[in-house]
Amino acid sequence: MSISLIEENFKRSHLTVIVGDGRMSCILFVVDYENGASFKETYKIKLPENFDVSSIDDFLGEVLEQFGEEVGWKLIDKRAGISLPLRINDKLEDGEGINSSSLIVCSNIYEEGIKSLLLGVEATELDRNLQLKGYTRYLDLLSASDMIFVNLGWEKVKVYVLTRKSSPARKDDSDKERVEIEEFEVDSHSLMKDPGLKLRSLLATPLKKEVLGDLFANVFSRKPVESASDDVKDLLRSYAMAALLNVKDDKLRRFGIETEDAHLVITGDLVGVLGEAHAVLGVVDGLQLKGRYRIAVDSEGEIFAGAAVLGKEKDLGTVLPVTDIYPRGYMYLSTEKGASGKEGKRAFTGKILFKGTEKTNWDDTESLIVAQTGQIRTFDFKEENRSGVGMVTIKPEKGVYFPNMRKEGDSLVGGFDENLKKLVVDCRKVPVVYGPDANANHPRVSEWLHQLDLG
Amino acid sequence: MFVLRDKALKFKKDQDFRMSFLGEAVCAVKPGDKVQPGKTVFEGMESEVLESMHLCKELGVRPEEVGKYLLKGDGEILDKGDEIAVRTVSMGMAERVVKAENEGRVSLQRVDSGVVDIIGPASEKSVVAQVSGKVKSVLPSKRMQREVVISVPGYVSKPFVCAGENVSGGLVLIKDGNSVYRVRDIDENECKGRIVVAGRSLNLKLYEAIVEAGAVGVIVGGMSRADFMELGKLSNKKGKYEEAVDKNMAIPVVITEGWGTIPVNQVLMEKLRDDEGGQAYINSEENELLIYDDGGLSGSASSGSVSDGDDEEDADVCEPISGMVVQIWDMPYWGYSGEIVNVMGDEELVQVKLGSGEKVLVKPGGLVVIG
């Protein structure tokens, strides 16, 4: 997946500012093409209660000044108390200036004609069309066969299912002819009416009905950007799951099982609050996905930024490598029908075979893996002195079945590359059971989250 | 790390402050007039409220049902002990009877909120200004109520919820103003005609007791959302409420922080304590609470941690530094405020000392500098 969007006349630094629902994210990409080094810094901050997007520079100036200080890159030139943009059109001196920038404003707060003098750009509305265009570009750039984008927002949970059409596509076919897109949307208001009733069977933290109602309404009105609280994360995981359980589609049943190279992307304003483990568990169990697929969790809004920039064809020259706007993810393998019999029995034994960095003797750089039924196990791909490229072989026990993997002898095989950081093997019994209440969920959900070591 | 700064109180010069008169009145001021404390604003005939009865509690019904059980009409004369409302319960085996404790006339002006007032005979009354400012407008009489809008300086806070009618009045605190209170803590003599600061939690019983004590408004840190929906006028603005329930409230409620039991933030509480007895204005239309203060004009604000909105604003984002007053927006201390005692930059954590003395660790994204 070494894809570069950089054209010959590339720029060296790009700043993307995303104004979401209650938060602002800044993403600074800097690449030095002479020595091939690059870095990416991100920061997100809650927006003030009275934030007015039409006078965004008032707030943005201060954010960029602080952000610049924090990452050691001067973004704002403050003269006589006035913040001026530090734009550089030619070569950069180390540690200062931006060559290009983009301002992305989510649809629910977008207003026509918003401009930022600091960034020197007009705002781009991250509307449905732009997102779909961007998502389709991702599908192409990643050479994926299928992609699911789950956008966990405060107002709505949206799901976009993209499937590449099986018939050979001509190069000049439009996106519509090459890719099938299905959309689903669940409004949070329907869940807010009685969260105690609607989330009861999904929550893992026992809370009184009244306390739960207050917490739910508080969190959704204040819209925090991060949380250290298990109660808040559990609430949002249950909310995401409850919303996604409403999404029923045949393509979801095929995803990961009959798909060649499937990607699940989790993005949206809630992801930063949820954290990766809660987000993955909520979405995988909410959509009831099984099989083999990749997962990318977008905590910083990179994919939003990427989708907006990729959706605008003429701006491609200012973008950085797609690997910088697509987070490194996980390879997810799960049983399809589940392991029969009691939990706690051996589900499989296997190996992670790393391709050696200099020699190609696979056996020299292998890792043994094993898991029990009822468990989720997480294994590192990127170990010291290992390239991060290789393959996973799994030898399932009797009664355990991993779908969508190549068969070699009595083993199942799947490859991985350096864009994946961990392997997650989900050996929980299918269907995964929640409920009847938080007390019943507490021990098992806590264990799954602990086992889902994505930190 | 850096965090959001969103001041809990801002000093502003020209803020609307409404004074009202219920009854037939002549307005003694006109737009453009300057008023000082003690200047007469209204002169007219007004009937004093002798007794306010929250009949929902007495009859065990919802506010909108109270009218069905009334035996007296609006303006009807009452003797002490007269029956005002009766509700038959237990399959006709028992009755709930509400009797007048005072002589007077029935006023059903607030019956939609479940409240029946007994008022005395109309007498001459003049209303004098408690604030100094400039008359902005004199509003025409509406439902026998005259209103004057005076432009005044003061400290403005943006509460979580301001619901009910717009109202002004003197501030009074129940005890220290920031604990959990019960009905027995309400002192009728202190509350009458005042805006009551009622601590960190308001339930329906406490609200009814405050209404019956004759208060004109209530300020509280938190309230259960379920209780609020029972009495409240909910709308769907700013995503704060999930459904619209239109009800008349007996007196307006200001919830400063959020749903549940949450203390009023330190900055606002300090100001409310300092200004007890001073004037405040609940502006539900603008979702604002104004604490009148002309001292702020000369820069002698009683609280050192409030901003002067008309001068240069403090930055909207800042580095967290020890000594800053912050509010936590994360569980389990949702809405609590305190002082930063330690910034752990490497761990991206901030240690906050709460009012109770307890020290807690918070992620920077879960707090806002309010002082």
Side-chain angles (χ1 to χ4, degrees):
Chain A
M1 202 172 61
S2 56
I3 301 144
S4 172
L5 296 173
I6 303 303
E7 294 170 356
E8 271 185 36
N9 58 344
F10 59 77
K11 306 290 184 185
R12 294 177 64 190
S13 68
H14 182 86
L15 177 71
T16 300
V17 175
I18 308 164
V19 185
D21 193 0
R23 73 168 186 176
M24 177 184 277
S25 298
C26 301
I27 306 169
L28 173 69
F29 304 103
V30 178
V31 179
D32 184 345
Y33 286 98
E34 280 168 13
N35 59 23
S38 71
F39 79 82
K40 178 178 67 182
E41 292 285 353
T42 60
Y43 202 87
K44 54 180 183 279
I45 189 160
K46 190 172 162 45
L47 293 171
E49 290 280 301
N50 56 352
F51 177 74
D52 177 8
V53 72
S54 59
S55 51
I56 186 170
D57 279 347
D58 297 346
F59 186 66
L60 184 60
E62 290 173 20
V63 172
L64 292 184
E65 197 181 337
Q66 294 279 357
F67 178 47
E69 271 178 34
E70 189 117 333
V71 301
W73 197 270
K74 197 175 172 191
L75 298 167
I76 289 287
D77 187 8
K78 205 152 188 169
R79 284 183 221 155
I82 302 166
S83 297
L84 298 167
L86 195 62
R87 291 179 66 81
I88 291 173
N89 294 317
D90 199 4
K91 277 205 158 189
L92 290 171
E93 290 301 318
D94 251 3
E96 61 177 34
I98 46 173
N99 296 115
S100 59
S101 51
S102 42
L103 172 63
I104 298 153
V105 180
C106 290
S107 280
N108 50 342
I109 56 166
Y110 178 81
E111 291 168 18
E112 200 67 48
I114 304 165
K115 278 182 186 163
S116 167
L117 294 175
L118 283 173
L119 298 176
V121 291
E122 201 164 311
T124 301
E125 181 188 3
L126 188 58
D127 60 6
R128 177 185 161 277
N129 286 340
L130 192 63
Q131 279 185 67
L132 289 182
K133 266 189 182 176
Y135 293 162
T136 308
R137 292 280 297 156
Y138 269 122
L139 187 82
D140 289 343
L141 292 166
L142 298 166
S143 303
S145 61
D146 300 75
M147 286 187 92
I148 297 177
F149 289 87
V150 178
N151 184 346
L152 301 175
W154 292 107
E155 299 284 326
K156 283 170 183 165
V157 170
K158 293 181 189 171
V159 179
Y160 301 92
V161 182
L162 280 72
T163 311
R164 196 184 293 281
K165 283 186 181 169
S166 51
S167 57
R170 292 193 309 274
K171 203 182 170 186
D172 54 350
D173 276 353
S174 67
D175 289 346
K176 210 175 168 184
E177 288 165 317
R178 293 185 296 108
V179 180
E180 247 178 81
I181 301 173
E182 287 193 51
E183 297 171 55
F184 307 91
E185 192 174 289
V186 183
D187 208 312
S188 70
H189 295 281
S190 60
L191 296 169
M192 277 178 112
K193 275 189 182 158
D194 192 353
L197 185 69
K198 290 177 178 148
L199 305 185
R200 189 177 55 192
S201 61
L202 304 174
L203 284 162
T205 311
L207 292 172
K208 281 184 187 165
K209 193 181 167 191
E210 196 172 87
V211 174
L212 173 68
D214 288 345
L215 175 61
F216 195 88
N218 279 337
V219 169
F220 274 74
S221 64
R222 290 279 175 192
K223 298 172 184 164
V225 295
E226 62 179 339
S227 174
S229 159
D230 286 340
D231 290 358
V232 173
K233 289 178 182 183
D234 188 53
L235 180 85
L236 293 178
R237 177 195 55 77
S238 309
Y239 157 74
M241 214 178 139
L244 294 171
L245 283 168
N246 288 312
V247 179
K248 307 273 183 217
D249 187 61
D250 237 21
K251 285 203 172 69
L252 296 175
R253 246 178 284 159
R254 290 195 320 107
F255 187 88
I257 292 180
E258 293 170 27
T259 48
E260 202 176 309
D261 185 17
H263 291 236
L264 168 67
V265 180
I266 306 170
T267 184
D269 290 326
L270 262 64
V271 179
V273 192
L274 269 167
E276 297 207 3
H278 282 83
V280 167
L281 191 69
V283 172
V284 168
D285 286 353
L287 291 176
Q288 299 169 71
L289 299 177
K290 296 179 274 290
R292 175 180 61 87
Y293 50 95
R294 290 164 182 251
I295 302 179
V297 185
D298 180 27
S299 310
E300 309 292 345
E302 296 159 25
I303 284 173
F304 252 177
V309 181
L310 291 171
K312 287 169 75 183
E313 297 286 340
K314 62 180 179 183
D315 283 351
L316 282 180
T318 64
V319 202
L320 290 148
V322 76
T323 46
D324 273 349
I325 49 172
Y326 192 82
R328 288 178 61 235
Y330 309 99
M331 179 178 182
Y332 204 93
L333 302 177
S334 79
T335 52
E336 184 190 4
K337 292 172 188 162
S340 55
K342 279 186 181 175
E343 288 193 352
K345 288 191 167 181
R346 191 164 68 189
F348 71 88
T349 52
K351 289 175 187 172
I352 298 176
L353 297 166
F354 295 91
K355 193 173 176 182
T357 44
E358 289 177 6
K359 50 187 179 179
T360 50
N361 185 352
W362 293 61
D363 288 340
D364 279 353
T365 52
E366 69 177 24
S367 239
L368 290 175
I369 55 175
V370 65
Q372 294 176 328
T373 53
Q375 273 189 341
I376 301 174
R377 288 294 308 272
T378 312
F379 307 98
D380 253 329
F381 277 146
K382 199 88 177 178
E383 289 183 27
E384 217 179 325
N385 301 326
R386 285 171 173 167
S387 64
V389 178
M391 62 181 184
V392 176
T393 66
I394 277 180
K395 207 168 164 183
E397 294 293 317
K398 197 177 170 188
V400 181
Y401 177 58
F402 288 93
N404 203 12
M405 290 183 78
R406 187 159 45 90
K407 206 163 181 188
E408 275 185 16
D410 56 354
S411 295
L412 300 169
V413 179
F416 63 88
D417 57 45
E418 58 198 1
N419 293 309
L420 293 169
K421 51 184 173 183
K422 289 191 180 194
L423 165 70
V424 180
V425 190
D426 184 350
C427 301
R428 290 177 298 167
K429 284 192 170 188
V430 178
V432 176
V433 177
Y434 281 80
D437 57 25
N439 286 315
N441 287 334
H442 183 69
R444 51 188 177 223
V445 173
S446 305
E447 203 176 328
W448 294 337
L449 287 166
H450 178 69
Q451 292 165 352
L452 202 53
D453 176 23
L454 308 181
Chain B
M1 77 181 85
F2 58 97
V3 293
L4 178 69
R5 185 201 287 268
D6 211 358
K7 290 265 182 180
L9 275 181
K10 287 181 179 165
F11 180 75
K12 292 185 177 175
K13 283 173 190 160
D14 299 316
Q15 296 302 298
D16 285 358
F17 184 94
R18 287 192 200 194
M19 292 183 64
S20 60
F21 188 99
L22 189 61
E24 288 178 22
V26 175
C27 187
V29 292
K30 60 181 186 306
D33 283 359
K34 282 188 178 169
V35 294
Q36 293 292 332
K39 181 171 173 62
T40 302
V41 177
F42 292 111
E43 284 177 327
M45 302 292 283
E46 189 180 63
S47 301
E48 190 192 355
V49 176
L50 303 172
E51 187 182 350
S52 295
M53 290 175 288
H54 208 285
L55 295 193
C56 307
K57 188 176 66 178
E58 309 282 352
L59 298 173
V61 296
R62 301 171 72 86
E64 58 271 24
E65 293 171 332
V66 165
K68 288 197 289 189
Y69 303 100
L70 289 176
L71 301 175
K72 303 287 181 186
D74 195 20
E76 212 168 311
I77 292 171
L78 288 173
D79 286 326
K80 191 174 177 183
D82 279 358
E83 290 184 356
I84 296 171
V86 175
R87 182 180 169 224
T88 307
V89 292
S90 305
M91 309 286 283
M93 302 294 287
E95 284 185 335
R96 289 184 173 197
V97 182
V98 182
K99 293 181 178 176
E101 288 180 11
N102 286 285
E103 290 178 1
R105 275 187 304 126
V106 175
S107 168
L108 300 183
Q109 193 140 23
R110 298 196 288 169
V111 73
D112 290 346
S113 324
V115 178
V116 171
D117 296 309
I118 299 177
I119 55 176
S123 58
E124 279 187 17
K125 190 181 172 187
S126 59
V127 173
V128 296
Q130 305 285 335
V131 296
S132 59
K134 199 173 180 181
V135 177
K136 195 172 160 187
S137 56
V138 178
L139 304 178
S141 178
K142 193 177 162 187
R143 287 163 61 194
M144 291 290 284
Q145 183 160 315
R146 299 290 318 258
E147 281 192 331
V148 163
V149 181
I150 305 170
S151 189
V152 302
Y155 285 90
V156 176
S157 86
K158 287 274 184 192
F160 180 71
V161 169
C162 259
E165 299 282 316
N166 295 351
V167 73
S168 58
L171 283 168
V172 65
L173 275 63
I174 301 176
K175 295 186 176 172
D176 76 343
N178 220 3
S179 302
V180 174
Y181 298 110
R182 296 182 181 185
V183 172
R184 63 170 180 262
D185 297 317
I186 307 296
D187 182 336
E188 194 170 325
N189 295 326
E190 284 184 350
C191 294
K192 196 160 190 173
R194 304 279 188 92
I195 294 173
V196 177
V197 181
R200 59 180 67 189
S201 177
L202 183 69
N203 57 38
L204 293 177
K205 278 187 180 167
L206 189 63
Y207 176 79
E208 286 163 3
I210 292 169
V211 171
E212 290 196 343
V216 295
V218 56
I219 299 169
V220 70
M223 182 175 189
S224 139
R225 194 174 113 274
D227 276 359
F228 184 77
M229 286 173 73
E230 281 292 310
L231 67 89
K233 182 172 182 169
L234 305 189
S235 68
N236 208 6
K237 62 184 176 185
K238 293 179 185 170
K240 278 182 179 164
Y241 325 117
E242 64 278 15
E243 59 194 74
V245 181
D246 200 352
K247 291 179 189 170
N248 291 311
M249 299 177 76
I251 58 171
V253 174
V254 176
I255 301 172
T256 61
E257 315 304 336
W259 306 120
T261 301
I262 309 174
V264 176
N265 72 72
Q266 281 186 9
V267 175
L268 177 59
M269 198 64 229
E270 193 184 333
K271 186 72 189 152
L272 291 169
R273 283 198 188 113
D274 286 350
D275 282 26
E276 187 173 10
Q279 293 289 305
Y281 174 51
I282 298 172
N283 186 344
S284 299
E285 284 162 24
E286 301 291 329
N287 203 55
E288 281 181 355
L289 171 67
L290 172 75
I291 302 165
Y292 166 73
D293 190 334
D294 64 350
L297 278 176
S298 55
S300 59
S302 47
S303 166
S305 50
V306 291
S307 79
D308 185 339
D310 287 349
D311 291 339
E312 193 185 336
E313 287 277 337
D314 285 318
D316 286 328
V317 290
C318 57
E319 261 189 77
I321 297 168
S322 292
M324 279 179 168
V325 181
V326 293
Q327 191 158 23
I328 299 168
W329 294 116
D330 202 2
M331 287 295 281
Y333 298 99
W334 189 272
Y336 281 58
S337 53
E339 199 175 288
I340 295 178
V341 288
N342 192 11
V343 180
M344 300 149 81
D346 293 342
E347 291 89 356
E348 287 269 315
L349 286 169
V350 176
Q351 192 176 36
V352 179
K353 188 178 175 187
L354 304 178
S356 60
E358 194 177 350
K359 289 179 184 173
V360 295
L361 286 172
V362 191
K363 284 191 172 186
L367 58 81
V368 174
V369 176
I370 57 167

mmCIF file of all heavy atoms in Angstrom, chain B residues 314-328:
data_model
loop_
_atom_site.group_PDB
_atom_site.id
_atom_site.type_symbol
_atom_site.label_atom_id
_atom_site.label_comp_id
_atom_site.label_asym_id
_atom_site.label_seq_id
_atom_site.Cartn_x
_atom_site.Cartn_y
_atom_site.Cartn_z
ATOM 1 N N ASP B 314 -9.520 37.722 27.453
ATOM 2 C CA ASP B 314 -8.447 36.765 27.642
ATOM 3 C C ASP B 314 -8.479 35.787 26.484
ATOM 4 O O ASP B 314 -9.480 35.642 25.807
ATOM 5 C CB ASP B 314 -8.662 36.011 28.958
ATOM 6 C CG ASP B 314 -8.320 36.884 30.143
ATOM 7 O OD1 ASP B 314 -7.309 37.585 30.059
ATOM 8 O OD2 ASP B 314 -9.073 36.863 31.123
ATOM 9 N N ALA B 315 -7.352 35.114 26.297
ATOM 10 C CA ALA B 315 -7.276 34.161 25.188
ATOM 11 C C ALA B 315 -8.318 33.060 25.353
ATOM 12 O O ALA B 315 -8.674 32.686 26.468
ATOM 13 C CB ALA B 315 -5.884 33.566 25.158
ATOM 14 N N ASP B 316 -8.801 32.537 24.232
ATOM 15 C CA ASP B 316 -9.777 31.450 24.272
ATOM 16 C C ASP B 316 -9.117 30.104 24.549
ATOM 17 O O ASP B 316 -9.784 29.142 24.901
ATOM 18 C CB ASP B 316 -10.527 31.361 22.941
ATOM 19 C CG ASP B 316 -11.524 32.490 22.784
ATOM 20 O OD1 ASP B 316 -12.071 32.925 23.805
ATOM 21 O OD2 ASP B 316 -11.742 32.937 21.649
ATOM 22 N N VAL B 317 -7.819 30.035 24.295
ATOM 23 C CA VAL B 317 -7.098 28.811 24.643
ATOM 24 C C VAL B 317 -5.865 29.218 25.449
ATOM 25 O O VAL B 317 -5.338 30.312 25.275
ATOM 26 C CB VAL B 317 -6.657 28.011 23.396
ATOM 27 C CG1 VAL B 317 -7.826 27.394 22.684
ATOM 28 C CG2 VAL B 317 -5.866 28.871 22.438
ATOM 29 N N CYS B 318 -5.454 28.362 26.334
ATOM 30 C CA CYS B 318 -4.297 28.717 27.154
ATOM 31 C C CYS B 318 -3.629 27.452 27.677
ATOM 32 O O CYS B 318 -4.214 26.367 27.639
ATOM 33 C CB CYS B 318 -4.732 29.595 28.327
ATOM 34 S SG CYS B 318 -5.975 28.827 29.361
ATOM 35 N N GLU B 319 -2.434 27.646 28.167
ATOM 36 C CA GLU B 319 -1.750 26.537 28.819
ATOM 37 C C GLU B 319 -2.290 26.409 30.231
ATOM 38 O O GLU B 319 -2.424 27.429 30.925
ATOM 39 C CB GLU B 319 -0.257 26.837 28.898
ATOM 40 C CG GLU B 319 0.542 26.170 27.820
ATOM 41 C CD GLU B 319 2.018 26.334 28.074
ATOM 42 O OE1 GLU B 319 2.537 25.617 28.941
ATOM 43 O OE2 GLU B 319 2.607 27.192 27.413
ATOM 44 N N PRO B 320 -2.604 25.225 30.692
ATOM 45 C CA PRO B 320 -3.068 25.104 32.079
ATOM 46 C C PRO B 320 -1.914 25.384 33.050
ATOM 47 O O PRO B 320 -0.813 24.856 32.851
ATOM 48 C CB PRO B 320 -3.553 23.651 32.168
ATOM 49 C CG PRO B 320 -2.895 22.940 31.043
ATOM 50 C CD PRO B 320 -2.561 23.942 29.991
ATOM 51 N N ILE B 321 -2.183 26.229 34.013
ATOM 52 C CA ILE B 321 -1.143 26.612 34.972
ATOM 53 C C ILE B 321 -1.712 26.452 36.382
ATOM 54 O O ILE B 321 -2.901 26.706 36.601
ATOM 55 C CB ILE B 321 -0.721 28.088 34.742
ATOM 56 C CG1 ILE B 321 -0.112 28.243 33.349
ATOM 57 C CG2 ILE B 321 0.269 28.559 35.795
ATOM 58 C CD1 ILE B 321 0.070 29.685 32.910
ATOM 59 N N SER B 322 -0.865 26.082 37.319
ATOM 60 C CA SER B 322 -1.315 25.928 38.712
ATOM 61 C C SER B 322 -1.978 27.213 39.183
ATOM 62 O O SER B 322 -1.502 28.309 38.904
ATOM 63 C CB SER B 322 -0.126 25.616 39.623
ATOM 64 O OG SER B 322 0.359 24.340 39.320
ATOM 65 N N GLY B 323 -3.095 27.051 39.875
ATOM 66 C CA GLY B 323 -3.810 28.208 40.395
ATOM 67 C C GLY B 323 -5.022 28.580 39.553
ATOM 68 O O GLY B 323 -5.909 29.283 40.028
ATOM 69 N N MET B 324 -5.076 28.110 38.308
ATOM 70 C CA MET B 324 -6.235 28.433 37.458
ATOM 71 C C MET B 324 -7.478 27.709 37.975
ATOM 72 O O MET B 324 -7.392 26.570 38.446
ATOM 73 C CB MET B 324 -5.988 27.962 36.018
ATOM 74 C CG MET B 324 -5.141 28.896 35.197
ATOM 75 S SD MET B 324 -4.925 28.189 33.549
ATOM 76 C CE MET B 324 -4.237 29.616 32.708
ATOM 77 N N VAL B 325 -8.623 28.375 37.846
ATOM 78 C CA VAL B 325 -9.881 27.734 38.231
ATOM 79 C C VAL B 325 -10.449 27.043 36.995
ATOM 80 O O VAL B 325 -10.602 27.666 35.942
ATOM 81 C CB VAL B 325 -10.896 28.756 38.771
ATOM 82 C CG1 VAL B 325 -12.188 28.060 39.182
ATOM 83 C CG2 VAL B 325 -10.310 29.504 39.954
ATOM 84 N N VAL B 326 -10.725 25.758 37.130
ATOM 85 C CA VAL B 326 -11.201 24.982 35.981
ATOM 86 C C VAL B 326 -12.482 24.236 36.334
ATOM 87 O O VAL B 326 -12.794 24.022 37.503
ATOM 88 C CB VAL B 326 -10.150 23.945 35.522
ATOM 89 C CG1 VAL B 326 -8.918 24.616 34.963
ATOM 90 C CG2 VAL B 326 -9.777 23.000 36.645
ATOM 91 N N GLN B 327 -13.192 23.847 35.300
ATOM 92 C CA GLN B 327 -14.385 23.024 35.486
ATOM 93 C C GLN B 327 -14.154 21.706 34.751
ATOM 94 O O GLN B 327 -13.622 21.704 33.634
ATOM 95 C CB GLN B 327 -15.609 23.743 34.919
ATOM 96 C CG GLN B 327 -16.918 23.071 35.304
ATOM 97 C CD GLN B 327 -18.096 24.019 35.220
ATOM 98 O OE1 GLN B 327 -18.048 25.012 34.509
ATOM 99 N NE2 GLN B 327 -19.170 23.717 35.926
ATOM 100 N N ILE B 328 -14.550 20.628 35.396
ATOM 101 C CA ILE B 328 -14.282 19.292 34.838
ATOM 102 C C ILE B 328 -15.507 18.806 34.074
ATOM 103 O O ILE B 328 -16.618 18.786 34.609
ATOM 104 C CB ILE B 328 -13.947 18.296 35.967
ATOM 105 C CG1 ILE B 328 -12.693 18.761 36.703
ATOM 106 C CG2 ILE B 328 -13.777 16.888 35.430
ATOM 107 C CD1 ILE B 328 -12.433 18.028 37.998
#
